Amino acid sequence: MIKGEFAVPSSGALADEVAAVLAGRHDPGVVPFERVLNAVVSHSFRDREALAAALGPVPREFKVKPHAQVRCTAGIVGAAVGPVRAEESWENAGAGWLELCQHVALDYVAGARTGEVAARLRSGDPVPFLLSVPSGPTGAVEPYELVERLAEYERLGIRPGPADLGQALLRCGGRVDPEVVRAAERLELAEGPRVAAWLRQGGLPMPTWWREREAGQAERPGRRRGARIGRRILVGHEAVEGRGAFPRQFWSLFRTFEPHLSCPHWSLPDYRDAHTVATLPWHPEIAAARLLTGVASAADQDGCGSPAFLEALASADGPAGPAVHLAVAYGLASVPERDREAAVRALAVLASRGRLDGELLGRELTELVGLGTLRVPLLTESLRAAVAVPEGAGAVWAVLATALPGLLARTRPQVHGALLAVAADSARLSGARGELPEVTALAQRPGSSQLLMQARRLRDALTGA
């Protein structure tokens, strides 16, 4: 039932994969993590004793705290190879759950699924495969594959786990073939009508968004907590209908998200990664909006970076809106170099897939620079690097065509020469045409400074001279 890069390996190959994941501190990636998770479940269903023999020697102790997915893999392996606790019911997994933070709603979803899987393994009630195994690297599940998996559950007389099914449904989206909907309607499982209705509506509805700037006069950034005021632009969204059929741990995702509500977390490093986006691949906006404060901290407070998160947002299946574009804007001027490099790749991916809104990103960059949130030299460095990558020149010009007039008006003249040089290169390489009055006025001034020379290069590129 599970094919391609997520196909179940042999027990020996699985032991090697598990050992590789557990030996590393860092993020194993969406594909290795999901493949290992499903393979452990599948082998436990086929032959639990053979799985225990294969995985028993694999060490699961860590000298240094590893990435969340590494810890999760260790927990799932322990549940699969440990003794069966027949008195434990997987249906009560997470019964004592308490929501503490609106920012990590997608982590609650992921935690509910892995908690349910572990509980089923401990209670000796495994499944042949997970319904929520992705069909591709973004995390999306093809609707026809979900219906096929449910039909196999029906044939085997197995009940879907509410969290596993819930995660699978959140991973379905886009236009669905009517024949797939009709196949879901023919399912005799109790969950059949719900699945058919979900696919018919195209998955999770798109919420209504709003964009807002932090209240207060912009202050200079500092390392002290609370020193930054009024310098970030964030995104919130209205409530989403349909939470009632999902496990309670999913409900935070459906609630109104208010970006300025405080939470008990100082930083959220483990949650800004590709796994978070893969939890809801058709709605990268929700992931970006809820974790935007962490992304911004890498630009205005030298915070922890999130390069994998930025690339995953750009590669996701769903539309890129204000939150995704803001995340890229913060990334382009982040202090960690890896974040800037990831933002450059994200910019190129958005452009190559026709999802880049150059005017939107240009306006955001202009406002953030005006607030003092983004550092122009870092932004210029990133845009220069972006010009050199495939699809990059056109993407950079699409952004600078909107941003350049505002950036020239709001920044120090010392940085204008380098910025205009990048603009001239991007316009020339992309074949852009048109006129920017601010640039024309600069180009007409007498003199031979670097600023005036680059203004003339840009003017000539735009006129085809």
Side-chain angles (χ1 to χ4, degrees):
M1 297 297 296
I2 310 299
K3 306 172 184 176
E5 57 194 340
F6 295 95
V8 177
S10 66
S11 58
L14 173 60
D16 292 338
E17 288 196 39
V18 169
V21 170
L22 298 183
R25 281 182 64 187
H26 304 293
D27 183 357
V30 171
V31 173
F33 172 72
E34 293 283 350
R35 181 173 58 239
V36 164
L37 184 67
N38 180 66
V40 170
V41 168
S42 181
H43 277 286
S44 181
F45 181 83
R46 297 175 188 175
D47 191 336
R48 186 183 181 104
E49 292 185 1
L51 176 66
L55 297 185
V58 176
R60 295 188 296 281
E61 295 182 0
F62 309 105
K63 295 181 179 179
V64 181
K65 184 179 181 181
H67 187 274
Q69 266 59 42
V70 179
R71 299 195 302 272
C72 178
T73 301
I76 294 296
V77 170
V81 302
V84 173
R85 305 172 186 173
E87 71 281 358
E88 180 174 343
S89 172
W90 58 267
E91 294 172 299
N92 293 325
W97 173 81
L98 176 65
E99 178 183 347
L100 294 176
C101 175
Q102 61 168 356
H103 298 94
V104 295
L106 291 173
D107 186 63
Y108 294 150
V109 172
R113 178 184 67 145
T114 53
E116 179 182 272
V117 169
R120 290 193 85 149
L121 290 171
R122 285 194 299 267
S123 64
D125 184 23
V127 294
F129 47 79
L130 295 177
L131 298 171
S132 56
V133 180
S135 302
T138 66
V141 172
E142 291 291 344
Y144 75 89
E145 290 191 21
L146 174 58
V147 174
E148 287 180 348
R149 295 169 190 176
L150 285 167
E152 181 66 7
Y153 268 45
E154 182 179 290
R155 187 185 71 81
L156 295 172
I158 293 174
R159 291 183 56 201
D164 183 32
L165 177 58
Q167 172 65 101
L169 291 175
L170 291 180
R171 284 178 163 171
C172 289
R175 297 184 62 181
V176 180
D177 187 334
E179 182 54 39
V180 175
V181 177
R182 287 191 285 272
E185 292 172 341
R186 292 193 292 269
L187 291 171
E188 296 182 4
L189 286 171
E191 294 81 3
R194 174 193 173 197
V195 172
W198 183 265
L199 297 180
R200 192 182 302 113
Q201 73 177 17
L204 184 72
M206 195 69 68
T208 301
W209 304 97
W210 75 81
R211 171 188 173 282
E212 60 184 77
R213 182 172 71 85
E214 287 179 318
Q217 293 299 315
E219 294 184 359
R220 294 184 62 82
R223 294 180 181 275
R224 180 175 59 83
R225 184 177 183 180
R228 173 210 28 81
I229 295 176
R231 297 170 54 85
R232 292 176 180 171
I233 302 170
L234 301 174
V235 174
H237 68 75
E238 300 290 351
V240 184
E241 296 295 326
R243 76 177 190 182
F246 288 85
R248 191 182 178 100
Q249 294 96 319
F250 286 53
W251 287 9
S252 179
L253 176 66
F254 290 81
R255 296 193 177 104
T256 300
F257 172 62
E258 301 178 70
H260 292 132
L261 286 183
S262 62
C263 75
H265 298 97
W266 169 228
S267 64
L268 307 169
D270 276 351
Y271 306 137
R272 295 195 310 275
D273 55 26
H275 302 276
T276 305
V277 182
T279 301
L280 201 60
W282 287 96
H283 289 72
E285 279 293 292
I286 291 179
R290 289 176 179 263
L291 294 170
L292 203 53
T293 53
V295 177
S297 71
D300 67 8
Q301 284 192 313
D302 300 352
C304 177
S306 46
F309 183 64
L310 293 171
E311 291 190 73
L313 290 175
S315 302
D317 299 276
V324 170
H325 283 78
L326 274 168
V328 174
Y330 288 120
L332 288 171
S334 289
V335 174
E337 184 177 1
R338 291 180 63 233
D339 270 44
R340 296 198 303 275
E341 293 172 348
V344 167
R345 291 190 292 270
L347 180 67
V349 169
L350 287 173
S352 68
R353 301 182 65 190
R355 300 169 66 223
L356 174 67
D357 187 333
E359 291 187 11
L360 173 60
L361 183 53
R363 291 195 302 270
E364 302 294 16
L365 288 173
T366 301
E367 185 168 355
L368 289 169
V369 166
L371 290 170
T373 308
L374 303 187
R375 307 174 198 184
V376 179
L378 292 179
L379 174 60
T380 303
E381 179 184 317
S382 294
L383 294 177
R384 183 184 296 113
V387 170
V389 304
E391 305 283 348
V396 170
W397 178 249
V399 173
L400 285 180
T402 296
L404 197 56
L407 293 177
L408 292 175
R410 300 184 187 192
T411 54
R412 296 178 292 109
Q414 293 91 323
V415 303
H416 292 172
L419 195 60
L420 285 168
V422 172
D425 290 341
S426 64
R428 177 179 59 83
L429 292 171
S430 64
R433 294 292 182 270
E435 181 186 10
L436 293 178
E438 297 83 356
V439 173
T440 302
L442 266 179
Q444 291 173 345
R445 291 183 187 177
S448 58
S449 67
Q450 180 72 5
L451 170 63
L452 299 180
M453 290 174 59
Q454 296 303 332
R456 291 166 192 152
R457 280 188 65 224
L458 177 54
R459 177 200 60 190
D460 293 346
L462 292 176
T463 59

